[in-house]
Each structure stands twice: as C-alpha cells, then as structure tokens.
Amino acid sequence: MGSRWVAVLVAALLAVAGCGTSANGTPEPRPAPQAAAIRLELVMDVTGPQRTAVESWLKARPEVASFTFESREQALARFREAYRESGELVGSLSAADLPESFMVTLAAGADADGFVAAAQPLDGVDHVEHDTGEPPPG
C-alpha cells in the first residue's frame, strides 16, 4: 500500500471523526465555549526548520492554551488503538505512513475557525482538523 494512499485514507478517517458541515456542505461556524481541540498535521516530508517554525507560531498565539507534538510513532500507536478492529488496515501501516502533528488545545471562548484558517497556510502544515466532539453528520 503506497504511503500517499495511506495518508489520504488516514486523513479521511480522521476527518470523519469530527468535521461538521451545514446542509449545503459549507463548514459551520464553531465557536469554542469550551476548550477546542485542534490537530495540525504536518506534511509527510516536513523539515526540522518547518516543524520549529510551526511550534514557534503556536507558542506566540494567545488563544493556544497548550499543545503537544505527536511523532509518527505516537500517531501509529494512537491509530492502532483507535482502529484495532480494522485488522488488515492497521497491520499494514508503519510509522512512516503517518504524519507528525501538533495537538492543540485552544482556550475557552477562542475562535476555533479563525485559528484553523490562520494555521492552514503555514509552511509545513498539510491539514488542520478541528475536533468538535460531535458525531459526524449522516
């Protein structure tokens, strides 16, 4: 299984876990009355300077309450735990198939959509995901 295909599959599975949309398919505004959870997935070939720049950007953002870095190995362990019933898919993955990421907690009341919009174009960031904590539509 090609690593690009696996990355797309993983992104799709993670997106299903928490992306809200309106009836017409546009993203719904997501105010954060409570602390919001955001995942910044890095590009597969992220460089050290890109990773450091994203980390510095997070440290400078006043709406960021906390963040942690997740290595490829940690992502694999999390993925295996979350999808352990998926047998063949989980067994065919390696750490190299998954991106590094930053797990971000925004302060209560922070503008999660504004944060996501600001983070998405950062050099080295592939995908930004906001976990609404709600089940996916459907």
Side-chain angles (χ1 to χ4, degrees), residues 2-25:
S3 64
R4 182 66 181 151
W5 184 87
V6 172
V8 170
L9 178 61
V10 169
L13 288 170
L14 293 174
V16 168
C19 293
T21 57
S22 67
N24 67 5

Side-chain angles (χ1 to χ4, degrees), residues 42-114:
L42 303 179
V43 295
M44 294 301 284
D45 59 348
V46 67
T47 65
Q50 286 173 321
R51 186 182 314 103
T52 300
V54 172
E55 183 175 3
S56 296
W57 183 84
L58 290 169
K59 287 178 181 177
R61 300 295 295 204
E63 70 269 41
V64 173
S66 65
F67 68 90
T68 58
F69 175 75
E70 182 179 75
S71 70
R72 292 173 191 259
E73 292 77 14
Q74 290 167 323
L76 180 61
R78 181 181 48 77
F79 187 84
R80 283 184 172 159
E81 177 63 25
Y83 298 100
R84 64 182 167 269
E85 286 86 30
S86 298
E88 186 179 322
L89 171 65
V90 173
S92 67
L93 290 177
S94 73
D97 295 321
L98 299 172
E100 297 175 334
S101 60
F102 285 98
M103 308 298 293
V104 181
T105 301
L106 298 183
D111 176 11
D113 289 334

